[in-house]
Amino acid sequence: MHADDLTATAELLCAAGLLEQGCVTPADALLEPWARLHGVVAAIEGVAHVDGHALALRLGLTPRFPGRLPTVFVLDARLHGRIPHVFQHGHVCYQEYEGVLLDRYQPVAVAREALARAVETIRRGLTGENRADFIEELALYWPGAAEGLGFFAADAQIQPILRFVLPWAGTFAFVRDRAQARELLVAPMPLRVPEVMAPLEAWFDDTVTPGLYIPLEDVPRPPDPFPLGPWTRAQVAQLIRHNLSDGQRRRLEQLTRGLKTRSTFVILRVPRPRGGDHLVGIRYDDIRGAHPLARATGSATMTQFRVERRDPGYLVPRGGGEPPLRAKRVLLVGCGAIGGHLAGELVRCGVGHLTLVDPDVLRPENAYRHVLGAPSLFVLPAKSLQLAAEIQQRYRGVEVSGLAASIEDALDQGAIDVTRYDLVLSATGDPNVDRGLNERLHRLEHRPPLLFTWLEPLGIGGHALVVQRSSPGCLDCLFTPHPLDASPVLTNRAAFAAAGQVFTRELAGCGNAFTPYSSLDALRTAELAGRLAVEVLGGRLRETLLRSWKGDGAAFHAAGLRTSPRYEMEASALERGGADVVAAGCKVCGGR
Amino acid sequence: MTILQTEFNKFNDAIRLGWDNEEARLRERRDAVIDRIRERMGGPSFSHFNQGSYELRTGVKPVNGDYDIDVGLRFNTTRSEWPDPVALKQRVVDALSGYKVELRRPCVTVYYQRRNEPLYHVDLNVYVPAETEGMLHLAVGKVGDAAPLKEWRFTDPLALGAALDTTFAADDREQCRRVIRYLKRWKDSNFPAQGNAAPKGIGLTAAALQWFTPARERDGVANRVHHDDLKALSGLVWAMLAHATPRLVVKLPVPPHDDLFRRMSEQEMSIFVAKLGELDEGLRRALADADEGSASRTLREFFGEDFPAVTSSPTARRIGAIVSSGSAG
């Protein structure tokens, strides 16, 4: 909205009686910092009655109003920072913008409701009802700048941690130990030879500072009065000591004994009343005498700072992943178009350990359907190794390893022990490899769930089958004709393509045959398999189950290919999946 | 447990009258006969229609080589104009002079022979319309019959086909037809062709209409339904035996509602029921047999050599060991 129009809107709001003694804020006031900071170009001010008090308020409009919320300010400076959600310049944070839908055709109604919510926020602050919100939003109230990235696992134990300078980021990194620091330092290095490693180790030694990670158990009450601006050493010490268990207190005393450095730091974990937690930091410099948190005399300067969290324990749930999957180990066989997408998605879902097995190198022909794109012009590592390195670099704290071998060789040579995994997932798309794997694993007494995924040509569909010990059926059941089938042929019963057709194409001569499908087909199949994998790993699915997605068939039919009776089934039923995979007479599982 | 569906399918292919071979020749004979009657008879006019197993599509190749086709001739006249049904049949016989033709009690039969062996015969059923829409009167009786044996019998020759169509859904109907064919071949292989010793084909058909239950299984993955003919046939034979108390009475489900096995003597009936019992026992034995080879040999005892003997293992019978997978990853 244009500034003139906004002024007109402001007049309209005044006329609507939103505030007592309401008037339009003079133009020169709109040049002050409060207005510039919040992009306010028009405002009204007046009085509202809150819990018996008459409070002067201001309602500011930005050019995007009413497509954006108006800003509300408390003009009484004594309240600034005194009650939760009232910040600098009296800015009242009465509503998160995320997830809000505004009635863009009713500016007066939007402003009236915004004001009502702001007044309610102030009222709860004045009565002390929302005092816990200081803790709920501690990171917002914690003074100081962001000083680094936290990579260590923020768990329940008080422990020593380290801080060092990340050379290329120009910021601090907070890590569990030297090994984790080394992992971060070498990540961008193409070669890990001693010539590269030695200077990095030296850099670490030069910049490292020991510190402590202290997870508070619970903070039932915020300090009273709540510190406005920088806290004192005593206030910080009190917050820590009042919110530790006896055991933690003893451990803290042990760990603060005999401090030898002049500088140290503490990263505090503060649980939020409504779930989740904050990490906030305290830096101590010029330490003389004992550790500033020890029960002994000494002096130090104290600076508060904020931490940007990079630990998977925080990032995984924030990204919609499942924290319990951190402990799960997945063996992914096949790093092609489906496997490439799957590897990344499994990690993003929270899987903490991934082993990738594929002997092939990335081929330029598949650049437009592989997650890694075109191969490098210089080196051609196997897809499994390249993919593992890519994921490892993007997702710290996840264990990803690659093995450039066929699964048959890896098993024959003992390079892989499948019983060490919680799920074996095959995305080779090669039914012969998959059937071999199915038979091999079926013989094992303690075999993990086995998930096969593959797609069919020209966007006709894709499938994911999970085979689990607790219910009958296996992959070979799909290749076992129904006993009553009067004309049995060798085919996959799950196929959408009718049996007896040829689907591969050739761009050149021998060895160039390929199956036509797109990256989107692979992505959709990977999604189907990924969701199934997460359900299995999460323990929510314990039966053998086949799920499929089917495409519109336009390209498939246009190519003169025929679909099977299965393709006629409802798409929703196919995606929901069927457990009736088992076939009597299956040579691997015997239909049991 | 044995299934042998592949063998039953082959057996069905071997015994069924196909459009492209025997039936085509039968059609030619039929058309020649009808053209001849139209040319020579000089009224009343008529229209013709197929009936019997030809119309029901339950026909089987005869063991002795004597193929037959049932044709209905619907004359545009009335009972009152032809009080003697045999007189009208005689006009048909007269029109066919030069053919080997016989005026039999239910119909007029035209024979084609080679060296005195019957090759084909065409049964001509003579009808006049009944007062009820769609119903007919069949001319019954032969020359020399006493008056009570000559009659215009009220009937609906197409009702059996209509009943088959309405009783079962498409694939089940086909299984019913196959099972009827199996029974008819069993009848041809196990009973003398002459006289009333053999159960009538129409009787077996009506029994199937009454007691056949489809046997099938759905493959939920492939979204296909597979039929189990051995089980369906065994079920039908069991049901027929259960109703033989002691005579098996199967009535035409439409007027005149005759018992279709009424002409069998007590002795003929008891032989029929005994053989049905043997068939029932044989089918059950085959069903329970774990060995497909011996199960197929059991079935060949009842159905003859058109039922294929299983000699190789089932895996070897599957075709196409190298096929296009259509899978990728």
Side-chain angles (χ1 to χ4, degrees):
Chain A
M1 205 184 279
H2 196 267
D4 291 345
D5 296 335
L6 278 174
T7 309
T9 305
E11 282 163 4
L12 196 66
L13 297 180
C14 276
L18 259 64
L19 290 167
E20 282 180 27
Q21 302 155 39
C23 64
V24 175
T25 304
D28 54 348
L30 297 172
L31 301 173
E32 292 169 10
W34 66 268
R36 290 211 308 277
L37 191 67
H38 293 280
V40 171
V41 293
I44 63 166
E45 47 199 68
V47 171
H49 290 276
V50 184
D51 201 31
H53 305 274
L55 281 180
L57 299 179
R58 188 182 273 153
L59 185 132
L61 308 176
T62 64
R64 302 219 191 283
F65 180 81
R68 293 285 189 282
L69 288 166
T71 44
V72 179
F73 301 86
V74 188
L75 298 185
D76 186 343
R78 287 169 303 173
L79 291 178
H80 297 180
R82 296 303 297 264
I83 57 175
H85 311 292
V86 176
F87 297 92
Q88 195 186 15
H89 307 305
H91 176 232
V92 184
C93 185
Y94 61 90
Q95 173 72 59
E96 295 264 18
Y97 176 70
E98 166 117 7
V100 165
L101 174 66
L102 301 171
D103 189 342
R104 57 189 296 112
Y105 302 117
Q106 298 220 48
V108 176
V110 170
R112 192 188 301 279
E113 279 186 44
L115 204 56
R117 289 180 194 211
V119 164
E120 173 62 10
T121 303
I122 298 164
R123 187 195 66 75
R124 285 163 54 82
L126 291 173
T127 58
E129 279 173 45
N130 62 0
R131 215 169 156 67
D133 287 6
F134 274 127
I135 297 300
E136 181 64 32
E137 302 194 339
L138 182 72
L140 277 177
Y141 297 99
W142 194 256
E147 273 196 7
L149 312 173
F151 291 96
F152 63 92
D155 54 26
Q157 179 76 285
I158 296 184
Q159 56 190 310
I161 55 173
L162 301 173
R163 182 191 75 188
F164 73 102
V165 177
L166 268 180
W168 28 84
T171 183
F172 286 129
F174 298 94
V175 293
R176 180 183 65 238
D177 52 20
R178 194 181 181 98
Q180 195 181 22
R182 192 183 293 123
E183 214 178 87
L184 288 170
L185 283 165
V186 302
M189 297 294 149
L191 295 170
R192 293 171 188 188
V193 292
E195 291 80 356
V196 171
M197 299 298 283
L200 289 174
E201 300 268 357
W203 172 270
F204 175 77
D205 289 335
D206 286 349
T207 63
V208 70
T209 302
L212 281 180
Y213 161 66
I214 305 177
L216 300 185
E217 291 230 308
D218 189 15
V219 182
R221 285 182 309 279
D224 192 17
F226 193 82
L228 306 167
W231 296 36
T232 63
R233 265 183 65 193
Q235 282 172 322
V236 167
Q238 207 175 22
L239 174 74
I240 295 171
R241 285 211 201 89
H242 283 186
N243 297 293
L244 290 181
S245 67
D246 291 343
Q248 284 179 311
R249 209 170 288 127
R250 278 194 297 278
R251 183 163 167 79
L252 180 62
E253 277 162 26
Q254 283 168 13
L255 291 170
T256 52
R257 216 171 280 153
L259 181 74
K260 292 191 183 66
T261 60
R262 295 285 298 274
S263 291
T264 191
F265 66 93
V266 167
I267 303 279
L268 271 189
R269 187 184 76 172
V270 182
R272 298 165 63 172
R274 294 202 275 271
D277 48 33
H278 299 290
L279 286 193
V280 291
I282 306 122
R283 178 155 50 82
Y284 297 103
D285 296 301
D286 283 329
I287 301 169
R288 290 170 203 283
H291 191 289
L293 290 179
R295 289 183 177 281
T297 51
S299 68
T301 61
M302 187 189 86
T303 315
Q304 286 161 279
F305 63 89
R306 301 176 192 197
V307 186
E308 186 181 316
R309 296 185 66 170
R310 295 289 178 93
D311 57 307
Y314 167 77
L315 293 176
V316 167
R318 182 68 180 74
E322 297 183 24
L325 299 189
R326 287 271 299 144
K328 300 293 182 183
R329 304 173 58 86
V330 174
L331 174 66
L332 176 59
V333 183
C335 299
I338 298 177
H341 286 303
L342 254 178
E345 291 310 323
L346 288 172
V347 167
R348 281 185 280 276
C349 286
V351 170
H353 307 263
L354 194 59
T355 304
L356 308 176
V357 181
D358 195 320
D360 296 338
V361 295
L362 194 61
R363 285 162 50 130
E365 303 92 287
N366 290 331
Y368 282 82
R369 67 186 192 193
H370 199 279
V371 72
L372 293 174
S376 150
L377 294 174
F378 305 104
V379 279
L380 281 175
K383 283 188 277 194
S384 48
L385 303 180
Q386 208 179 330
L387 194 58
E390 285 267 338
I391 294 171
Q392 190 70 82
Q393 187 165 347
R394 285 193 168 82
Y395 300 96
R396 301 279 136 214
V398 176
E399 238 180 61
V400 187
S401 58
L403 183 62
S406 71
I407 186 65
E408 292 100 332
D409 287 348
L411 292 174
D412 287 345
Q413 291 156 13
I416 294 282
D417 174 6
V418 291
T419 60
R420 291 181 59 243
Y421 293 89
D422 298 293
L423 176 71
V424 175
L425 207 168
S426 176
T428 65
D430 180 340
N432 307 305
V433 171
D434 285 351
R435 291 176 75 189
L437 188 60
N438 175 67
E439 185 176 9
R440 198 159 178 159
L441 262 64
H442 193 83
R443 292 197 295 257
L444 298 178
E445 196 183 340
H446 300 289
R447 65 186 145 94
L450 190 50
L451 200 160
F452 298 97
T453 184
W454 67 97
L455 54 69
E456 294 190 65
L458 295 165
I460 195 75
H463 313 272
L465 167 75
V466 65
V467 178
Q468 307 210 70
R469 294 174 62 86
S470 51
S471 73
C474 73
L475 177 70
D476 231 53
C477 286
L478 293 182
F479 293 89
T480 306
H482 191 281
L484 287 170
D485 194 337
S487 44
V489 293
L490 178 60
T491 189
N492 186 335
R493 287 189 296 128
F496 289 141
Q501 304 177 93
V502 174
F503 310 98
T504 50
R505 292 177 180 174
E506 288 176 24
L507 281 185
C510 298
N512 280 298
F514 73 102
T515 306
Y517 65 88
S518 75
S519 179
L520 288 175
D521 300 336
L523 190 59
R524 192 161 173 192
T525 309
E527 190 225 320
L528 187 79
R531 287 187 187 276
L532 198 55
V534 167
E535 281 180 52
V536 170
L537 289 169
R540 298 188 293 280
L541 177 67
R542 297 185 187 281
E543 57 182 351
T544 295
L545 189 77
L546 170 69
R547 282 191 186 147
S548 306
W549 68 268
K550 75 167 184 176
D552 68 4
F556 189 85
H557 289 129
L561 294 166
R562 289 170 290 109
T563 43
S564 69
R566 185 162 198 263
Y567 182 74
E568 304 307 318
M569 289 172 76
E570 278 291 320
S572 56
L574 290 163
E575 287 195 31
R576 196 164 51 246
D580 51 354
V581 170
V582 62
C586 171
K587 288 191 170 52
V588 172
C589 71
R592 287 181 293 274
Chain B
M1 188 177 134
T2 307
I3 291 163
L4 295 175
Q5 188 57 34
T6 310
E7 285 65 29
F8 270 100
N9 274 32
K10 286 182 186 161
F11 180 43
N12 178 58
D13 288 342
I15 64 174
R16 71 185 302 218
L17 281 181
W19 278 104
D20 45 350
N21 39 53
E22 294 80 8
E23 276 196 18
R25 262 172 280 167
L26 280 172
R27 266 201 316 277
E28 281 169 26
R29 305 294 186 204
R30 175 199 67 188
D31 293 347
V33 167
I34 288 167
D35 289 347
R36 175 68 176 275
I37 301 170
R38 282 221 169 84
E39 274 169 34
R40 300 274 183 91
M41 193 161 149
S45 65
F46 66 91
S47 55
H48 75 274
F49 56 90
N50 294 316
Q51 66 172 81
S53 66
Y54 191 93
E55 195 267 333
L56 286 165
R57 291 195 284 120
T58 55
V60 295
K61 291 176 191 168
V63 175
N64 58 12
D66 183 13
Y67 292 90
D68 74 330
I69 181 166
D70 280 332
V71 181
L73 304 179
R74 188 194 290 108
F75 284 92
N76 299 315
T77 180
T78 59
R79 278 192 296 171
S80 50
E81 283 184 48
W82 296 86
D84 179 3
V86 178
L88 187 56
K89 288 168 84 173
Q90 188 60 52
R91 295 269 310 247
V92 173
V93 172
D94 293 344
L96 290 167
S97 63
Y99 282 86
K100 179 174 168 45
V101 60
E102 184 186 358
L103 196 162
R104 296 164 61 222
R105 189 166 282 133
C107 59
V108 173
T109 303
V110 185
Y111 297 95
Y112 292 86
Q113 289 179 316
R114 182 186 294 159
R115 294 191 209 95
N116 291 331
E117 287 294 313
L119 280 176
Y120 304 98
H121 68 261
V122 180
D123 284 336
L124 300 165
N125 298 275
V126 174
Y127 298 98
V128 296
E131 292 70 25
T132 316
E133 176 68 29
M135 299 297 283
L136 299 170
H137 289 289
L138 172 68
V140 177
K142 60 183 184 184
V143 179
D145 271 350
L149 289 174
K150 295 197 241 179
E151 60 166 326
W152 283 108
R153 187 180 293 161
F154 186 64
T155 184
D156 179 0
L158 296 178
L160 220 50
L164 184 62
D165 284 345
T166 52
T167 309
F168 304 110
D171 285 354
D172 294 341
R173 193 157 61 230
E174 280 312 308
Q175 187 180 46
C176 184
R177 287 198 170 105
R178 289 198 298 275
V179 165
I180 291 170
R181 287 188 200 111
Y182 305 150
L183 274 182
K184 285 166 92 170
R185 172 49 69 94
W186 166 74
K187 179 255 295 183
D188 289 347
S189 305
N190 290 275
F191 294 86
Q194 305 307 316
N196 292 316
K200 294 258 172 292
I202 189 176
L204 298 174
T205 304
L209 262 175
Q210 214 169 325
W211 296 309
F212 167 79
T213 310
R216 53 176 137 76
E217 280 179 33
R218 182 168 181 275
D219 177 343
V221 172
N223 192 27
R224 290 174 63 193
V225 172
H226 299 288
H227 283 83
D228 187 344
D229 287 3
L230 177 53
K231 197 185 267 182
L233 176 61
S234 174
L236 174 58
V237 171
W238 179 86
M240 287 167 71
L241 267 182
H243 287 86
T245 54
R247 280 190 75 93
L248 179 62
V249 176
V250 178
K251 290 187 173 165
L252 198 63
V254 291
H257 297 291
D258 299 345
D259 170 13
L260 295 163
F261 297 133
R262 67 187 181 281
R263 290 186 196 282
M264 295 175 93
S265 67
E266 291 299 316
Q267 195 192 1
E268 284 165 342
M269 176 55 80
S270 74
I271 291 171
F272 170 41
V273 172
K275 287 195 175 189
L276 208 53
E278 288 167 24
L279 176 62
D280 178 56
E281 189 273 332
L283 292 172
R284 285 158 185 275
R285 190 148 34 92
L287 266 174
D289 200 333
D291 181 80
E292 296 193 345
S294 80
S296 74
R297 284 193 293 280
T298 303
L299 294 173
R300 280 160 69 89
E301 290 170 22
F302 294 94
F303 299 110
E305 299 200 341
D306 279 336
F307 193 91
V310 178
T311 48
S312 52
S313 69
T315 36
R317 289 186 288 136
R318 215 199 284 177
I319 50 154
I322 302 177
V323 297
S324 186
S325 78
S327 316

